[in-house]
Amino acid sequence: QVQLVESGGGSVQAGGSLRLSCAASGYTSNNCMGWFRQAPGKERERVASISDIGATFYADFVKGRFTISRDNGKKEVYLQMNSLKPEDTAMYYCAAAQRRWCSGLGTLDYNYWGQGTQVTVSS
C-alpha cells in the first residue's frame, strides 16, 4: 500500500514561486508519479508526471514554469512552481500509478492519492 503526503502549499502573489513536496511510504522507485490539481467547480487535471527513470510530461498550461522531479532515495517527488498566475490557484494532489511509465495514463489510472495541498495565487 502506497501512502502519499503533500506539503509546501500556501499563498503567494502572482509571479512568485512555491515548491511542493510529496513524501511516499510503501513506495517503490518503479512507480509513475504525477501532480494533479483541481480548482473549485472544475475537473481534476494532470499538471505533470514523471516516470521511474525520470521521463517527464507537462501540461501545456505549465510548460516552462513548473518542474517535476523525484528523489527515489528519499522517496519524495517535487513540483517546483515558478511565475505563478492566479489561474494556478487550486488544490494540488500527488498521485502514484502502478506502472513505471506515465505515457498514456489518465487520471483514473493513478491508484494512490494524497490528501492535497492548497495553492492560492493572488493578483
Side-chain angles (χ1 to χ4, degrees):
Q1 183 77 11
V2 176
Q3 293 184 323
L4 306 171
V5 179
E6 303 96 335
S7 62
S11 297
V12 295
Q13 290 190 329
S17 298
L18 285 173
R19 186 188 192 216
L20 306 183
S21 297
C22 173
S25 60
Y27 161 91
T28 72
S29 61
N30 294 331
N31 292 101
C32 162
M33 302 295 296
W35 283 99
F36 292 74
R37 70 186 188 186
Q38 187 167 18
K42 295 187 176 181
E43 292 187 354
R44 190 169 297 189
E45 57 186 0
R46 182 171 53 160
V47 175
S49 59
I50 185 167
S51 75
D52 62 333
I53 60 170
T56 56
F57 161 86
Y58 295 96
D60 287 343
F61 51 80
V62 302
K63 281 182 179 177
R65 300 189 298 124
F66 291 11
T67 302
I68 189 172
S69 60
R70 66 193 295 164
D71 186 328
N72 289 337
K74 293 183 177 180
K75 298 184 179 180
E76 292 186 347
V77 181
Y78 311 100
L79 186 68
Q80 177 67 43
M81 304 187 295
N82 298 327
S83 301
L84 283 161
K85 304 175 181 180
E87 50 264 44
D88 293 320
T89 295
M91 185 71 79
Y92 283 71
Y93 298 91
C94 176
Q98 290 180 315
R99 275 183 51 180
R100 297 174 55 195
W101 295 101
C102 302
S103 178
L105 295 185
T107 303
L108 298 179
D109 295 315
Y110 287 77
N111 308 91
Y112 306 102
W113 294 83
Q115 82 290 349
T117 185
Q118 178 67 38
V119 172
T120 302
V121 185
S122 59
S123 58

